[in-house]
């Protein structure tokens, strides 16, 4: 059941991205049409649609193989991790706007890892390392400023 929900969600998200990216301009250089700003989102959307169809089809085959009287006990807890990841993804932008990129990445990553029963000290080390790595790559290497928070400007 959770595979079907995931498949439908992926297809819906991909359709939304396809519709949104269709308004992006084409890239034309010297009269030649090149992959422009809508190329990558469109490509990812097509891949997400294929993945969504795969999840739905595999879910249907799993349902056919399952016996009518047998209750699948393993699928009860499969929806919870999906909801945690989706909730974290939705909350990421408001958290980053509030506390900044570095603290936001640490908070979201740490909370997700603790939810997935990773030891707290591993979660802390990995979260801080990931936040510092993101900061290093974007601000030092690419020279792209990351958002600062309104509460904690770093």
């Amino acid at each position: 059941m959770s595979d079907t929900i995931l498949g439908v969600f992926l297809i819906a998200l991909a359709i939304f991205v396809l519709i949104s990216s269709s308004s992006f301009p084409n890239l034309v250089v010297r009269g030649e049409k090149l992959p422009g700003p809508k190329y990558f989102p469109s490509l990812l959307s097509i891949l997400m649609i294929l993945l969504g169809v795969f999840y739905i089809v595999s879910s249907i085959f799993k349902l056919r193989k399952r016996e009518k009287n047998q209750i699948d006990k393993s699928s009860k807890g499969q929806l919870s991790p999906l909801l945690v990841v989706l909730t974290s993804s939705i909350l990421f932008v408001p958290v980053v706007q509030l506390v900044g990129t570095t603290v936001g990445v640490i908070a979201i990553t740490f909370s997700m890892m603790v939810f997935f029963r990773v030891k707290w000290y591993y979660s802390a080390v990995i979260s801080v390392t990931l936040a510092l790595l993101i900061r290093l790559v974007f601000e030092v290497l690419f020279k792209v400023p990351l958002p600062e928070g309104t509460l904690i400007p770093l």
Side-chain angles (χ1 to χ4, degrees), residues 92 95-96 99-114 123-135 154:
F92 183 76
V95 167
V96 165
V99 296
T101 304
T102 305
V103 176
V105 167
I106 291 171
I108 296 288
T109 308
F110 181 80
S111 61
M112 284 180 60
M113 291 179 75
V114 167
S123 300
V125 169
I126 291 172
S127 299
V128 170
T129 304
L130 178 65
L132 293 177
L133 184 66
I134 289 172
R135 193 163 195 84
L154 285 179

Side-chain angles (χ1 to χ4, degrees), residues 49-122:
I49 288 173
L50 293 174
L51 187 62
V53 169
F54 171 76
Y55 274 119
I56 292 171
V57 169
S58 68
S59 175
I60 291 170
F61 282 119
K62 285 180 186 177
L63 287 175
R64 287 186 181 172
K65 288 182 179 181
R66 194 181 304 159
E67 296 178 4
K68 292 181 181 179
N69 296 332
Q70 181 183 7
I71 298 173
D72 188 14
K73 297 175 184 176
S74 65
S75 67
K76 288 182 181 178
Q78 290 180 353
L79 194 57
S80 180
L82 175 66
L83 291 176
V84 168
V85 171
L86 287 176
T87 304
S88 298
S89 299
I90 291 169
L91 290 177
F92 183 76
V93 172
V95 167
V96 165
Q97 288 176 346
L98 191 64
V99 296
T101 304
T102 305
V103 176
V105 167
I106 291 171
I108 296 288
T109 308
F110 181 80
S111 61
M112 284 180 60
M113 291 179 75
V114 167
F115 175 81
F116 289 117
R117 292 186 171 81
V118 176
K119 295 179 181 175
W120 70 269
Y121 45 89
Y122 287 135

